[in-house]
């Protein structure tokens, strides 16, 4: 079989009927693109990058089946002015979310609702409860002053008592400072004609358990599987309801969304935005370099049009072959652009060279001759590149396997279009006559220098390779998918902030056991492991030492019951009584300020109260006093409700726990969940591996994100070792069949091995880790690392002495530069994974350029005579 003759005939047929060929190919490309739009989907699930029948994927499906409430979650984080307000806001938002059955399956506040209002205090330690009791006992006389006189008069009497006691040296009254400040602020507001109110819930929360002013709403969303951002409607609804409820910054709230659904949607949005920008820059960069390489805007137009049509066909091939794009296979865009342009550029440069030989007298013969001349190197390049990608098919790394299918098919498509569509397009354009050699004549002296110092060049390459090999053991494989996400997005930054929260912490491992006795036995073993921080199960949600805690609460109830449940209320005060109370409080404040016991923060509060009451007395407006009575005590009784509920706490049994908490720790088949937390929560990959192996040494069937990450990393390394070995063997066989020379095969593979070693060694030296995304630089390096040397070795076999100044050298240089522009643009993407992929690809291509343009000519030397 004569490849040159076949290629010549195909080119001749294509350029003989250019309009027919263009029309047929363009029609098929449009059909292909239309099919891709309808069929091709996007999957941003990182676990879907691996075969579904792998043990950890099977365990994942079983876990999701047992705990369906833990998938497709939206976690709303509410930071409020106080713990009470944040919790109330979470309850209200959860109710609205739950009511929308069209977008949500369920929603709840994990620390809210009647159960925690009543029994939440039992989850505190006995010492904490005693401290609360002491504070409430000290505040009881003051609270009593207002409990049966809920008016401006009662509030002012409370402040009078506080300042009087403080003037006598009673330090416990310092706790009244926040109430005094709010009262003064409210009086000033009323005097200025503004709304006057006191935040009683916030004040009473200071007399209860100290807690973070944060609450969560955990909602299970119904996803729109037809949309690219499948949870967009659900998250938009939550944000709208939060605004409607007044949970805004102006009101002291901060609402953020995280969880599986927002993380996935924001990651896709980041990838889409970054890919669009990087793709645009890649096309611009490639276009500029092609103008410099081809020296003709018309040749560039032909190349870009061929590239565009090939891309449409590749989209259709992706839809037919894999059906969806994943986080790895999205890189086919850049790979296709880089390699397809390489093919087109080599063809166009040799077309120009053939025109120069013929004096541009007959472009049709030049087209045919270029096709025949490029048949072997382009077929070899296409075959070896496709093989490099297809060798991932036997591996369990589905993400790269699908990339290999798409990119491998795209390379074949590009090869076919180079000998069909491109000759047809070139036939329809006219070019200026060629007057000078196509290659870079100025590189001839540099080429001669390399040949004159072959030994030194090879010794230098060997030295660099030795250093890289020594550094390889330091290479880090970090396969944590969370590190591929943009840490600046709301969902990711919030997720990192919540790492210590057991309700949403994804960095835990779970084990399912059959009986409560198994929980105890397993927990004892796990707690002894040095890498385990703590172990939690359903039984840990039942408060400890309930008898002593309830006894302490009973003691509190004895002196607080008259406050929270007063037997009677005084009649509403008259304007004169309010004014008298204001004068008495003003005098008490001045007395306190003049005493030697005046100290912060009560001192500043007393000044505010004194000044506000001075204005109030000077105004002497009876109607103002009545308005203050109506407004200052609004919400006081509601604020007492949590305190009243706390005093009614009762023993908590296992079956009384809220259903969402029970469902978190009891599987649907009745098994119990034991949740294991790591001691090192930094997400360091080595610490995560130690933690995973330690837990699995006790419970081999343990499952959780750390297990998934560990197993994924192991599978990825195996996949690349397997695929790399298969690719080298397959490529060597193809080259041997085509070249029929073991020496020439080794000459092609030598720059590849050098570039791979230097790339990985440099990553090890600079601390640049390999991850799920950037590791695809290795199969790409394998592909282009073979394609580039093929052109040089083929030219060398044809007798070319000065490779760098030949058309093949010009094509090689600009092919490498265009590939760098195409792949390097990915480093500008906002998505962390895509950006790291671009950086590693740029590094790999730089070393490939070094190995091919400098080291390979030294390896080849002068061309041998072939018969």
């Amino acid at each position: 079989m004569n490849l040159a003759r076949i290629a010549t005939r195909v080119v001749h047929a294509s350029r003989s009927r250019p309009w027919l060929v263009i029309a047929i190919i363009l029609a098929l490309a449009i059909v292909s693109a239309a099919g891709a739009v309808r069929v091709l989907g996007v999957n941003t699930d990182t676990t879907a990058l691996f075969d579904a029948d792998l043990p950890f994927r099977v365990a994942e499906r079983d876990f999701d089946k047992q705990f369906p409430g833990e998938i497709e979650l939206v976690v709303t984080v509410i930071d409020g002015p106080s713990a009470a307000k944040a919790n109330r806001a979470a309850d209200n938002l959860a109710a609205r979310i739950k009511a929308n059955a069209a977008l949500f399956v369920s929603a709840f506040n994990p620390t809210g609702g009647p159960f925690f209002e009543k029994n939440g205090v039992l989850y505190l330690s006995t010492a904490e409860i005693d401290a609360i009791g002491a504070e409430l006992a000290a505040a009881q006389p003051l609270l009593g002053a207002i409990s049966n006189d809920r008016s401006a008069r009662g509030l002012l009497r409370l402040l009078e008592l506080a300042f009087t006691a403080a003037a006598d040296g009673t330090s416990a009254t310092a706790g009244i400072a926040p109430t005094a400040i709010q009262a003064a602020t409210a009086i000033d507001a009323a005097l200025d004609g503004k709304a006057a109110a006191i935040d009683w819930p916030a004040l009473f929360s200071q007399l209860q358990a100290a807690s973070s002013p944060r609450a969560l709403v955990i909602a299970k969303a119904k996803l729109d599987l037809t949309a690219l951002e499948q949870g967009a409607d659900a998250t938009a609804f939550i944000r709208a309801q939060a605004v409607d409820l007044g949970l805004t910054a102006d009101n002291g709230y901060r609402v953020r969304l995280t969880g599986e659904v927002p993380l996935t949607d924001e990651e896709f949005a980041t990838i889409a935005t970054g890919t669009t920008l990087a793709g645009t820059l890649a096309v611009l960069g490639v276009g500029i370099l092609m103008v410099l390489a081809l020296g003709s805007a018309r040749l560039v137009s032909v190349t870009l049009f061929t590239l565009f049509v090939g891309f449409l066909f590749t989209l259709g091939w992706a839809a037919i072959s894999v059906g969806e794009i994943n986080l790895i296979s999205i890189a086919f865009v850049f790979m296709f652009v880089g390699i397809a342009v390489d093919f087109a550029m080599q063809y166009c440069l040799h077309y120009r060279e053939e025109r120069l030989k013929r004096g541009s007298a007959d472009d049709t013969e030049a087209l045919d001759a270029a096709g025949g001349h490029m048949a072997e190197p382009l077929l070899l390049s296409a075959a070896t590149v496709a093989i490099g990608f297809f060798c991932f098919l036997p591996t369990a790394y589905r993400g790269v396997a699908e990339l290999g299918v798409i990119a491998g098919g795209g390379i074949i498509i590009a090869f076919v279009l180079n000998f069909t569509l491109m000759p047809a397009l070139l036939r329809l354009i006219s070019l200026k006559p060629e007057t000078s050699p196509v290659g870079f004549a100025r590189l001839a002296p540099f080429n001669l220098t390399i040949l004159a110092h072959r030994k030194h060049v090879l010794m230098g390459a060997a030295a660099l390779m030795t250093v890289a090999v020594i550094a390889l053991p330091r290479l880090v494989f970090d396969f944590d998918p969370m590190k591929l996400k943009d840490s600046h997005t709301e969902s990711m930054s919030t997720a990192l902030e919540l790492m210590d929260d057991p309700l949403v912490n994804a960095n835990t491992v779970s084990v399912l056991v059959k009986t409560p006795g198994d929980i105890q036995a397993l927990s004892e073993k796990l707690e002894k492991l040095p890498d385990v921080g703590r172990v939690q199960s359903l039984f840990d949600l039942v408060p400890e030492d309930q008898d002593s805690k309830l006894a302490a609460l009973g003691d509190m109830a004895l002196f607080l019951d008259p406050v929270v449940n007063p037997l009677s209320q005084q009649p509403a005060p008259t304007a004169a009584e309010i004014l008298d109370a204001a004068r008495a409080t003003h005098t008490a404040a001045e007395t306190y300020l003049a005493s030697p016991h005046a100290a912060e923060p009560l001192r500043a509060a007393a000044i505010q109260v004194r000044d506000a009451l001075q204005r109030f007395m000077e105004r002497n407006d009876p109607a103002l006093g009545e308005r203050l009575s109506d407004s200052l005590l609004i919400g006081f009784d509601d604020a007492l409700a949590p305190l009243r509920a706390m005093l009614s706490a009762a023993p908590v049994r296992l079956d009384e726990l809220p259903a969402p908490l029970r469902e978190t720790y009891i599987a649907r088949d009745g098994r119990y969940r034991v949740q294991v937390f790591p001691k090192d929560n930094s997400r360091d990959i080595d610490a995560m591996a130690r933690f995973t192996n330690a837990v699995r040494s006790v419970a081999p069937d343990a499952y959780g994100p750390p297990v998934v990450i560990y197993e994924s990393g192991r599978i990825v390394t195996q996949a690349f070792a397997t695929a790399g070995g298969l690719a080298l063997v397959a490529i060597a066989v193809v080259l041997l069949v085509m070249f029929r020379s073991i020496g020439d095969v080794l000459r092609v593979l030598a720059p590849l091995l050098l570039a791979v070693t230097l790339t990985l060694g440099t990553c090890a030296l600079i601390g640049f880790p390999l991850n799920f995304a950037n590791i695809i630089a290795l199969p790409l390096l394998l592909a282009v690392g073979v394609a580039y040397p093929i052109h040089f070795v083929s030219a060398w076999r044809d007798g070319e002495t000065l490779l760098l100044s030949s058309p093949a050298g010009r094509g090689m240089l600009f092919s490498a530069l265009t590939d760098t522009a195409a792949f390097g643009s990915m480093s500008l993407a906002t998505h962390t994974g895509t950006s790291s992929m671009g950086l590693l690809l740029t590094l790999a291509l730089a070393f490939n350029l070094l190995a091919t343009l400098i080291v390979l000519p030294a390896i080849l030397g002068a061309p041998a005579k072939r018969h």
Side-chain angles (χ1 to χ4, degrees):
M1 178 179 66
N2 191 316
L3 286 177
R5 184 177 302 171
I6 294 174
T8 301
R9 289 178 178 177
V10 171
V11 170
H12 178 82
S14 298
R15 56 89 172 165
S16 298
R17 300 175 179 81
W19 288 112
L20 177 62
V21 171
I22 293 170
I24 292 174
I25 291 177
L26 196 57
L28 292 175
I30 293 172
V31 171
S32 175
V37 170
R38 295 187 60 183
V39 176
L40 195 61
V42 177
N43 188 349
T44 59
D45 182 4
T46 54
T47 59
L49 298 176
F50 302 91
D51 283 348
D53 58 351
L54 290 168
F56 79 88
R57 291 294 310 279
V58 174
E60 175 189 37
R61 290 194 297 274
D62 178 61
F63 188 85
D64 291 345
K65 180 180 178 181
Q66 298 300 328
F67 299 97
E70 297 195 16
I71 58 175
E72 299 172 351
L73 295 183
V74 180
V75 178
T76 305
V77 181
I78 302 174
D79 293 300
S82 67
K85 284 193 170 185
N87 212 43
R88 191 181 309 115
D91 285 339
N92 294 335
L93 182 60
R96 292 204 180 186
I97 295 173
K98 192 173 182 179
N100 190 339
L103 292 177
F104 299 94
V105 176
S106 62
F108 69 100
N109 173 3
T111 57
F115 174 83
F116 282 104
E117 287 181 4
K118 177 181 177 181
N119 300 308
V121 66
L122 296 178
Y123 289 91
L124 302 175
S125 68
T126 303
E128 288 174 315
I129 294 176
D130 289 341
I132 293 172
E135 290 187 23
L136 290 171
Q140 192 274 341
L142 301 178
L143 292 174
I146 196 174
S147 63
N148 61 358
D149 186 5
R150 299 179 184 181
S151 66
R153 177 186 59 196
L155 175 60
L156 291 171
R157 283 180 178 174
L158 182 151
L159 296 177
E160 178 193 356
L161 290 173
F163 290 138
T164 300
D168 293 336
T170 304
S171 59
T173 55
I176 204 69
T179 305
I181 291 172
Q182 286 212 36
T185 303
I187 293 171
D188 281 331
L191 288 166
D192 295 334
K194 301 176 182 177
I198 292 178
D199 188 358
W200 291 106
L203 293 173
F204 274 93
S205 68
Q206 297 177 25
L207 297 176
Q208 299 175 44
S211 57
S212 169
R214 170 177 291 174
L216 307 178
V217 177
I218 300 177
K220 179 177 173 62
K222 292 181 179 179
L223 303 182
D224 180 4
L225 300 180
T226 64
L228 296 179
E229 296 179 41
Q230 298 179 354
D233 291 342
T235 55
F237 176 81
I238 293 175
R239 294 187 191 279
Q241 294 305 307
V243 172
D244 190 57
L245 288 169
L247 308 183
T248 61
D250 292 340
N251 295 325
Y253 291 93
R254 183 187 184 193
V255 177
R256 293 171 291 166
L257 303 185
T258 187
E260 176 187 350
V261 174
L263 282 168
T264 301
D265 284 353
E266 284 191 354
E267 179 165 36
F268 175 75
T270 303
I271 290 175
T273 302
T275 302
T276 300
L277 172 63
T280 302
L281 292 175
V283 171
L284 290 175
V286 168
I288 293 172
L289 288 169
M290 283 195 299
V291 171
L292 296 175
L294 301 178
S296 167
R298 294 182 180 180
L299 287 179
V300 172
S301 299
V302 168
T303 300
L304 290 177
F305 185 76
T306 304
L307 174 69
F308 174 71
V309 172
F311 181 71
L312 296 183
F313 275 116
T314 304
L315 284 177
W317 165 246
I320 294 172
S321 58
V322 298
E324 64 181 18
I325 302 297
N326 60 53
L327 294 175
I328 298 296
S329 61
I330 187 70
F332 88 89
V333 176
F334 306 97
M335 294 186 175
F336 177 82
V337 169
I339 297 176
V341 165
D342 173 45
F343 287 0
M345 192 177 297
Q346 291 289 348
Y347 185 94
C348 287
L349 288 174
H350 279 83
Y351 170 51
R352 286 185 57 194
E353 183 73 12
E354 293 296 333
R355 292 182 73 241
L356 178 65
K357 291 178 181 178
R358 290 165 173 74
S360 303
D362 192 342
D363 285 354
T364 57
E365 286 189 7
L367 281 173
D368 295 348
H373 183 82
M374 293 305 300
E376 181 179 285
L378 286 186
L379 177 61
L380 268 178
S381 296
T384 53
V385 169
I387 286 172
F389 287 126
F390 286 145
C391 281
F392 279 89
L393 285 175
T395 71
Y397 194 8
R398 179 182 169 189
V400 175
E402 291 183 354
L403 170 64
V405 171
I406 299 171
I411 298 310
I412 295 172
I413 290 169
F415 172 78
V416 172
L417 291 179
N418 255 36
F419 290 91
T420 53
L421 178 61
M422 180 166 281
L425 292 170
L426 291 173
R427 181 67 182 86
L428 298 177
I429 65 172
S430 58
L431 299 174
K432 295 179 180 179
E434 298 291 343
T435 57
S436 59
V438 176
F440 283 130
R442 285 175 293 181
L443 288 180
F446 181 62
N447 201 148
L448 291 172
T449 301
I450 292 175
L451 293 177
H453 298 86
R454 288 181 62 197
K455 187 177 296 185
H456 296 92
V457 172
L458 295 177
M459 289 174 61
L464 289 175
M465 191 168 185
T466 301
V467 173
V469 169
I470 294 173
L472 283 179
R474 298 174 56 187
L475 186 64
V476 176
F477 295 85
D478 191 340
F479 295 109
D480 185 353
M482 293 290 281
K483 293 178 183 175
L484 300 183
K485 301 180 186 296
D486 185 356
S487 61
H488 297 97
T489 61
E490 178 188 84
S491 60
M492 186 58 194
S493 62
T494 306
L496 293 173
E497 190 177 313
L498 296 177
M499 278 297 179
D500 292 328
D501 194 320
L503 292 168
V504 292
N505 187 354
N507 200 23
T508 64
V509 170
S510 297
V511 184
L512 298 182
V513 299
K514 294 181 179 179
T515 67
D518 294 336
I519 293 177
Q520 182 65 28
L522 179 61
S523 297
E524 290 177 357
K525 293 180 181 179
L526 291 170
E527 288 170 348
K528 294 178 181 178
L529 299 174
D531 294 295
V532 171
R534 62 189 174 93
V535 181
Q536 184 166 296
S537 69
L538 179 68
F539 298 96
D540 294 311
L541 301 182
V542 177
E544 298 178 343
D545 302 323
Q546 293 192 55
D547 291 341
S548 61
K549 294 175 182 177
L550 289 170
L553 291 171
D555 293 339
M556 283 188 229
L558 293 176
F559 61 82
L560 287 176
D561 188 65
V563 174
V564 298
N565 298 302
L567 296 176
S568 62
Q569 287 288 324
Q570 292 190 29
T574 64
E577 289 174 328
I578 294 175
L579 186 58
D580 288 342
R583 290 193 184 101
T585 304
H586 181 272
T587 300
E590 287 191 321
T591 301
Y592 166 69
L593 290 171
S595 75
H597 303 294
E600 302 298 343
L602 190 57
R603 183 180 180 279
I607 293 173
Q608 284 188 251
V609 170
R610 180 196 65 187
D611 295 344
L613 290 177
Q614 182 66 38
R615 291 181 64 198
F616 176 75
M617 291 185 295
E618 291 173 354
R619 178 76 62 88
N620 194 20
D621 183 354
L624 178 61
E626 293 177 0
R627 290 200 303 274
L628 280 174
S629 281
D630 293 336
S631 60
L632 290 181
L633 275 297
I634 291 176
F636 179 81
D637 193 59
D638 290 338
L640 282 178
L643 185 59
R644 190 180 295 118
M646 181 186 78
L647 295 176
S648 65
V652 174
R653 298 191 305 269
L654 198 62
D655 58 356
E656 294 175 330
L657 292 173
L661 289 183
R662 292 199 307 273
E663 292 169 359
T664 300
Y665 288 96
I666 301 179
R668 284 197 163 186
D669 63 4
R671 287 181 292 172
Y672 296 92
R673 177 184 184 180
V674 178
Q675 194 171 17
V676 191
F677 293 77
K679 179 173 290 185
D680 185 341
N681 207 23
S682 64
R683 299 196 73 85
D684 175 75
I685 197 66
D686 292 329
M688 191 179 296
R690 290 194 304 271
F691 168 65
T692 300
N693 288 326
V695 174
R696 294 171 82 184
S697 68
V698 174
D701 57 346
Y703 170 78
V707 175
V708 173
I709 293 169
Y710 177 80
E711 287 295 323
S712 300
R714 186 178 60 83
I715 290 167
V716 168
T717 53
Q718 289 180 352
F720 275 89
T722 301
L726 288 174
L728 279 176
V729 172
I731 289 172
V733 170
V734 171
L735 292 174
L736 186 59
V737 170
M738 297 298 294
F739 285 159
R740 298 181 182 180
S741 167
I742 295 178
D744 288 348
V745 171
L746 295 177
R747 292 181 180 95
V748 171
L749 295 180
L752 166 66
L753 297 176
L754 176 62
V756 169
T757 305
L758 292 179
T759 300
L760 296 180
T762 301
C763 289
L765 286 172
I766 65 176
F768 186 83
L770 298 183
N771 56 47
F772 279 127
N774 65 31
I775 199 170
I776 71 160
L778 300 184
L780 175 66
L781 180 57
L782 183 67
V784 299
V786 171
Y788 289 174
I790 283 175
H791 296 299
F792 265 18
V793 174
S794 295
W796 179 77
R797 284 164 55 88
D798 289 339
E800 181 65 59
T801 303
L802 301 176
L803 294 170
L804 296 183
S805 59
S806 69
R810 182 189 181 107
M812 260 294 311
L813 176 61
F814 278 102
S815 291
L817 292 176
T818 53
D819 285 345
T820 302
F823 303 139
S825 64
M826 296 166 65
S827 63
L828 302 177
T830 53
H831 182 254
T832 306
T834 305
S835 177
S836 70
M837 189 190 308
L839 290 172
L840 187 55
L841 285 169
T842 302
L843 182 65
L845 286 168
F847 281 124
N848 191 61
L849 195 63
L850 171 71
T852 304
L853 293 183
I854 297 179
V855 179
L856 182 56
I859 293 174
L860 295 176
K865 294 182 179 180
R866 298 179 182 268
H867 301 283

